[in-house]
Amino acid sequence: MFRERGLRATLDDIAARAGVGTGTAYRHFRDKHEIAVEVLSGATEQIVLDARAALAIEDPWLGVVAFFEAIAERQARDRGLYEALAGQGSAEHKAQIWPEIVSTVTQLFDRAKRVGAIRSDAQPEDVAVIFAMLGVVFEMSRGGTPDLWRRYLALMLDGLRTNARPLLPISAPAFGSLDDVIAAGKSTAPRARRNSGAGKSG
């Protein structure tokens, strides 16, 4: 259910798919987020394994690419995983999944920086925002172009590479403020659409 509908799936939906009564579900779980912590913890562990596998790749840049591609491909298939990694879900869930992911990604980035493969001002927290930005493409991919995300991931990865580019104008958001970044993106998008349509109605 989380894979198909994301974190919008309700505990009632889950109970129905499992073939049990809603009361049974509520006796075992406080809410759907408690189930999400259990279900998505395995996916989170796989992300850490992917990062460790990427660290085993001799070329640091290819290791970074392999990590991003592995996670993006899994997110494209799993709406719940994408939403969790994009900062949605309960505070408890995010507190469980993010620290170890950030730790392993830090190792990937530090290794790539030591050999000059990625820009010096790239930060592990950038990973969360990159995947959040890919969210629109994941949704488009579900409409019949399953590999569309590969194009935009390639463009984003190119921005990480060291090619005598100037430093980024500001630092990445602190880990604790990623929710604010995502919330800001949600609140401005509808307003932009409303403004763009205002002139046409006159």
Side-chain angles (χ1 to χ4, degrees):
M1 292 303 297
F2 288 132
R3 183 167 53 249
E4 294 172 10
R5 299 189 187 178
L7 298 178
R8 290 184 294 275
T10 67
L11 196 55
D12 291 352
D13 293 332
I14 295 166
R17 177 67 65 89
V20 301
T22 302
T24 300
Y26 278 100
R27 279 197 296 273
H28 288 84
F29 298 98
R30 183 174 64 248
D31 54 33
K32 67 178 182 181
H33 296 295
E34 196 168 82
I35 297 182
V37 170
E38 297 295 329
V39 171
L40 297 176
S41 62
T44 303
E45 291 168 6
Q46 183 59 52
I47 291 171
V48 175
L49 293 176
D50 288 336
R52 291 174 181 164
L55 285 167
I57 296 175
E58 185 175 356
D59 185 312
W61 170 248
L62 294 181
V64 170
V65 172
F67 170 76
F68 272 94
E69 287 183 344
I71 308 308
E73 185 166 16
R74 197 171 297 116
Q75 285 183 276
R77 297 194 307 265
D78 190 333
R79 190 189 300 265
L81 177 61
Y82 154 65
E83 291 179 356
L85 293 182
Q88 300 177 42
S90 68
E92 176 189 6
H93 185 207
K94 286 179 281 189
Q96 287 190 22
I97 69 172
W98 274 112
E100 193 168 5
I101 292 174
V102 170
S103 174
T104 50
V105 171
T106 297
Q107 295 178 57
L108 269 177
F109 274 30
D110 285 349
R111 185 176 74 134
K113 286 179 184 179
R114 283 196 295 270
V115 299
I118 66 174
R119 53 193 309 154
S120 62
D121 54 350
Q123 297 170 249
E125 291 84 357
D126 290 325
V127 172
V129 180
I130 288 172
F131 283 127
M133 289 190 294
L134 279 174
V136 174
V137 185
F138 291 142
E139 293 301 324
M140 292 168 65
S141 297
R142 293 183 225 281
T145 313
D147 288 334
L148 183 63
W149 60 267
R150 294 184 184 277
R151 172 185 175 85
Y152 294 97
L153 177 59
L155 288 170
M156 291 181 185
L157 287 177
D158 188 57
L160 281 176
R161 301 195 74 165
T162 303
N163 289 320
R165 294 185 174 94
L167 293 178
L168 293 169
I170 61 173
S171 298
F175 172 66
S177 68
L178 284 177
D179 283 352
D180 296 335
V181 174
I182 294 161
K186 290 180 179 177
S187 64
T188 56
R191 188 182 309 120
R193 287 195 294 270
R194 287 196 299 271
N195 291 342
S196 66
K200 296 178 182 178
S201 62

mmCIF file of all heavy atoms in Angstrom, residues 11 16-17 19 59 63 67 102-103 131 136 148 159-160 168 171 176 180-184 191 196-198:
data_model
loop_
_atom_site.group_PDB
_atom_site.id
_atom_site.type_symbol
_atom_site.label_atom_id
_atom_site.label_comp_id
_atom_site.label_asym_id
_atom_site.label_seq_id
_atom_site.Cartn_x
_atom_site.Cartn_y
_atom_site.Cartn_z
ATOM 1 N N LEU A 11 -4.593 3.506 7.631
ATOM 2 C CA LEU A 11 -4.546 2.229 8.345
ATOM 3 C C LEU A 11 -5.710 1.343 7.903
ATOM 4 O O LEU A 11 -5.576 0.113 7.833
ATOM 5 C CB LEU A 11 -4.584 2.474 9.857
ATOM 6 C CG LEU A 11 -4.167 1.314 10.756
ATOM 7 C CD1 LEU A 11 -2.781 0.796 10.381
ATOM 8 C CD2 LEU A 11 -4.202 1.725 12.218
ATOM 9 N N ALA A 16 -7.533 -3.507 5.089
ATOM 10 C CA ALA A 16 -8.321 -4.137 4.020
ATOM 11 C C ALA A 16 -7.441 -4.971 3.111
ATOM 12 O O ALA A 16 -7.793 -6.096 2.743
ATOM 13 C CB ALA A 16 -9.061 -3.057 3.221
ATOM 14 N N ARG A 17 -6.263 -4.432 2.729
ATOM 15 C CA ARG A 17 -5.358 -5.188 1.858
ATOM 16 C C ARG A 17 -4.840 -6.443 2.559
ATOM 17 O O ARG A 17 -4.630 -7.480 1.919
ATOM 18 C CB ARG A 17 -4.194 -4.285 1.439
ATOM 19 C CG ARG A 17 -3.134 -4.963 0.575
ATOM 20 C CD ARG A 17 -3.663 -5.344 -0.798
ATOM 21 N NE ARG A 17 -4.029 -4.181 -1.587
ATOM 22 C CZ ARG A 17 -3.170 -3.534 -2.388
ATOM 23 N NH1 ARG A 17 -1.927 -3.945 -2.503
ATOM 24 N NH2 ARG A 17 -3.576 -2.486 -3.078
ATOM 25 N N GLY A 19 -6.501 -8.123 4.702
ATOM 26 C CA GLY A 19 -7.596 -9.046 4.953
ATOM 27 C C GLY A 19 -7.939 -9.191 6.421
ATOM 28 O O GLY A 19 -8.419 -10.256 6.855
ATOM 29 N N ASP A 59 36.562 3.760 -8.189
ATOM 30 C CA ASP A 59 36.485 5.149 -8.636
ATOM 31 C C ASP A 59 35.469 5.896 -7.771
ATOM 32 O O ASP A 59 34.273 5.576 -7.796
ATOM 33 C CB ASP A 59 36.057 5.195 -10.103
ATOM 34 C CG ASP A 59 36.060 6.606 -10.689
ATOM 35 O OD1 ASP A 59 35.502 7.518 -10.045
ATOM 36 O OD2 ASP A 59 36.604 6.787 -11.788
ATOM 37 N N GLY A 63 31.339 5.664 -7.735
ATOM 38 C CA GLY A 63 30.661 5.240 -6.517
ATOM 39 C C GLY A 63 29.496 6.155 -6.178
ATOM 40 O O GLY A 63 28.401 5.691 -5.812
ATOM 41 N N PHE A 67 25.484 5.058 -6.268
ATOM 42 C CA PHE A 67 24.617 5.233 -5.105
ATOM 43 C C PHE A 67 23.338 5.976 -5.502
ATOM 44 O O PHE A 67 22.225 5.525 -5.211
ATOM 45 C CB PHE A 67 25.354 6.010 -4.013
ATOM 46 C CG PHE A 67 24.468 6.438 -2.881
ATOM 47 C CD1 PHE A 67 24.054 5.515 -1.928
ATOM 48 C CD2 PHE A 67 24.031 7.750 -2.777
ATOM 49 C CE1 PHE A 67 23.219 5.902 -0.891
ATOM 50 C CE2 PHE A 67 23.197 8.139 -1.740
ATOM 51 C CZ PHE A 67 22.794 7.212 -0.793
ATOM 52 N N VAL A 102 22.726 9.767 6.413
ATOM 53 C CA VAL A 102 23.625 10.916 6.319
ATOM 54 C C VAL A 102 25.062 10.497 6.624
ATOM 55 O O VAL A 102 26.009 10.942 5.973
ATOM 56 C CB VAL A 102 23.177 12.041 7.282
ATOM 57 C CG1 VAL A 102 24.239 13.128 7.379
ATOM 58 C CG2 VAL A 102 21.865 12.650 6.799
ATOM 59 N N SER A 103 25.221 9.604 7.597
ATOM 60 C CA SER A 103 26.564 9.147 7.964
ATOM 61 C C SER A 103 27.253 8.440 6.802
ATOM 62 O O SER A 103 28.421 8.712 6.488
ATOM 63 C CB SER A 103 26.470 8.216 9.171
ATOM 64 O OG SER A 103 27.736 7.653 9.453
ATOM 65 N N PHE A 131 16.762 14.385 -4.055
ATOM 66 C CA PHE A 131 15.709 13.392 -4.225
ATOM 67 C C PHE A 131 14.322 14.031 -4.114
ATOM 68 O O PHE A 131 13.380 13.603 -4.784
ATOM 69 C CB PHE A 131 15.861 12.257 -3.214
ATOM 70 C CG PHE A 131 16.943 11.285 -3.583
ATOM 71 C CD1 PHE A 131 17.940 10.949 -2.687
ATOM 72 C CD2 PHE A 131 16.973 10.700 -4.839
ATOM 73 C CE1 PHE A 131 18.949 10.058 -3.023
ATOM 74 C CE2 PHE A 131 17.968 9.808 -5.196
ATOM 75 C CZ PHE A 131 18.963 9.488 -4.288
ATOM 76 N N VAL A 136 8.918 15.206 -8.636
ATOM 77 C CA VAL A 136 8.032 15.518 -9.763
ATOM 78 C C VAL A 136 8.302 14.564 -10.917
ATOM 79 O O VAL A 136 7.383 14.084 -11.582
ATOM 80 C CB VAL A 136 8.242 16.976 -10.221
ATOM 81 C CG1 VAL A 136 7.434 17.251 -11.487
ATOM 82 C CG2 VAL A 136 7.835 17.943 -9.111
ATOM 83 N N LEU A 148 12.387 8.202 -17.092
ATOM 84 C CA LEU A 148 12.571 9.637 -17.273
ATOM 85 C C LEU A 148 13.475 10.246 -16.201
ATOM 86 O O LEU A 148 14.245 11.172 -16.470
ATOM 87 C CB LEU A 148 11.213 10.342 -17.254
ATOM 88 C CG LEU A 148 11.216 11.853 -17.510
ATOM 89 C CD1 LEU A 148 11.740 12.162 -18.912
ATOM 90 C CD2 LEU A 148 9.809 12.419 -17.328
ATOM 91 N N GLY A 159 25.938 18.704 -11.735
ATOM 92 C CA GLY A 159 26.142 19.856 -10.869
ATOM 93 C C GLY A 159 27.034 19.558 -9.670
ATOM 94 O O GLY A 159 27.579 20.479 -9.054
ATOM 95 N N LEU A 160 27.173 18.287 -9.326
ATOM 96 C CA LEU A 160 28.040 17.902 -8.205
ATOM 97 C C LEU A 160 29.506 17.798 -8.615
ATOM 98 O O LEU A 160 30.396 17.890 -7.772
ATOM 99 C CB LEU A 160 27.610 16.541 -7.643
ATOM 100 C CG LEU A 160 26.403 16.486 -6.713
ATOM 101 C CD1 LEU A 160 26.094 15.034 -6.364
ATOM 102 C CD2 LEU A 160 26.663 17.278 -5.438
ATOM 103 N N LEU A 168 28.923 27.498 -4.735
ATOM 104 C CA LEU A 168 27.489 27.742 -4.659
ATOM 105 C C LEU A 168 27.223 28.989 -3.823
ATOM 106 O O LEU A 168 27.962 29.280 -2.881
ATOM 107 C CB LEU A 168 26.793 26.529 -4.019
ATOM 108 C CG LEU A 168 26.835 25.249 -4.860
ATOM 109 C CD1 LEU A 168 26.359 24.068 -4.034
ATOM 110 C CD2 LEU A 168 25.984 25.390 -6.105
ATOM 111 N N SER A 171 24.931 27.927 1.535
ATOM 112 C CA SER A 171 25.171 26.578 2.039
ATOM 113 C C SER A 171 23.900 25.746 1.935
ATOM 114 O O SER A 171 22.790 26.288 1.815
ATOM 115 C CB SER A 171 25.623 26.639 3.499
ATOM 116 O OG SER A 171 26.830 27.349 3.610
ATOM 117 N N GLY A 176 18.243 19.729 10.363
ATOM 118 C CA GLY A 176 17.025 19.984 11.103
ATOM 119 C C GLY A 176 16.026 20.851 10.376
ATOM 120 O O GLY A 176 14.869 20.935 10.777
ATOM 121 N N ASP A 180 11.401 22.378 6.671
ATOM 122 C CA ASP A 180 11.021 23.745 6.308
ATOM 123 C C ASP A 180 11.205 23.978 4.819
ATOM 124 O O ASP A 180 10.394 24.639 4.174
ATOM 125 C CB ASP A 180 11.864 24.758 7.096
ATOM 126 C CG ASP A 180 11.614 24.663 8.589
ATOM 127 O OD1 ASP A 180 10.522 24.205 8.967
ATOM 128 O OD2 ASP A 180 12.505 25.045 9.366
ATOM 129 N N VAL A 181 12.297 23.438 4.256
ATOM 130 C CA VAL A 181 12.554 23.601 2.826
ATOM 131 C C VAL A 181 11.449 22.944 2.015
ATOM 132 O O VAL A 181 10.905 23.519 1.066
ATOM 133 C CB VAL A 181 13.922 22.989 2.454
ATOM 134 C CG1 VAL A 181 14.122 23.019 0.947
ATOM 135 C CG2 VAL A 181 15.037 23.744 3.155
ATOM 136 N N ILE A 182 11.080 21.719 2.403
ATOM 137 C CA ILE A 182 10.056 20.977 1.666
ATOM 138 C C ILE A 182 8.701 21.654 1.816
ATOM 139 O O ILE A 182 7.941 21.797 0.864
ATOM 140 C CB ILE A 182 10.010 19.520 2.157
ATOM 141 C CG1 ILE A 182 11.331 18.821 1.783
ATOM 142 C CG2 ILE A 182 8.833 18.770 1.568
ATOM 143 C CD1 ILE A 182 11.601 17.580 2.570
ATOM 144 N N ALA A 183 8.393 22.112 3.043
ATOM 145 C CA ALA A 183 7.118 22.788 3.273
ATOM 146 C C ALA A 183 7.034 24.076 2.468
ATOM 147 O O ALA A 183 5.985 24.409 1.924
ATOM 148 C CB ALA A 183 6.951 23.087 4.760
ATOM 149 N N ALA A 184 8.156 24.786 2.357
ATOM 150 C CA ALA A 184 8.171 26.026 1.587
ATOM 151 C C ALA A 184 7.896 25.738 0.117
ATOM 152 O O ALA A 184 7.173 26.474 -0.557
ATOM 153 C CB ALA A 184 9.513 26.732 1.745
ATOM 154 N N ARG A 191 0.597 28.688 -5.231
ATOM 155 C CA ARG A 191 0.434 30.116 -5.404
ATOM 156 C C ARG A 191 0.929 30.534 -6.783
ATOM 157 O O ARG A 191 0.327 31.353 -7.451
ATOM 158 C CB ARG A 191 1.206 30.861 -4.311
ATOM 159 C CG ARG A 191 0.928 32.367 -4.323
ATOM 160 C CD ARG A 191 1.741 33.082 -3.253
ATOM 161 N NE ARG A 191 1.589 32.453 -1.969
ATOM 162 C CZ ARG A 191 2.605 31.939 -1.268
ATOM 163 N NH1 ARG A 191 3.819 31.978 -1.750
ATOM 164 N NH2 ARG A 191 2.395 31.382 -0.099
ATOM 165 N N SER A 196 -0.223 32.448 -12.243
ATOM 166 C CA SER A 196 -0.040 32.308 -13.691
ATOM 167 C C SER A 196 -1.374 32.253 -14.413
ATOM 168 O O SER A 196 -1.481 32.612 -15.572
ATOM 169 C CB SER A 196 0.777 31.054 -14.006
ATOM 170 O OG SER A 196 0.055 29.889 -13.636
ATOM 171 N N GLY A 197 -2.423 31.771 -13.719
ATOM 172 C CA GLY A 197 -3.716 31.669 -14.373
ATOM 173 C C GLY A 197 -4.577 32.896 -14.209
ATOM 174 O O GLY A 197 -5.615 33.027 -14.862
ATOM 175 N N ALA A 198 -4.133 33.810 -13.333
ATOM 176 C CA ALA A 198 -4.969 34.964 -13.038
ATOM 177 C C ALA A 198 -5.159 35.852 -14.260
ATOM 178 O O ALA A 198 -6.254 36.342 -14.541
ATOM 179 C CB ALA A 198 -4.361 35.780 -11.891
#
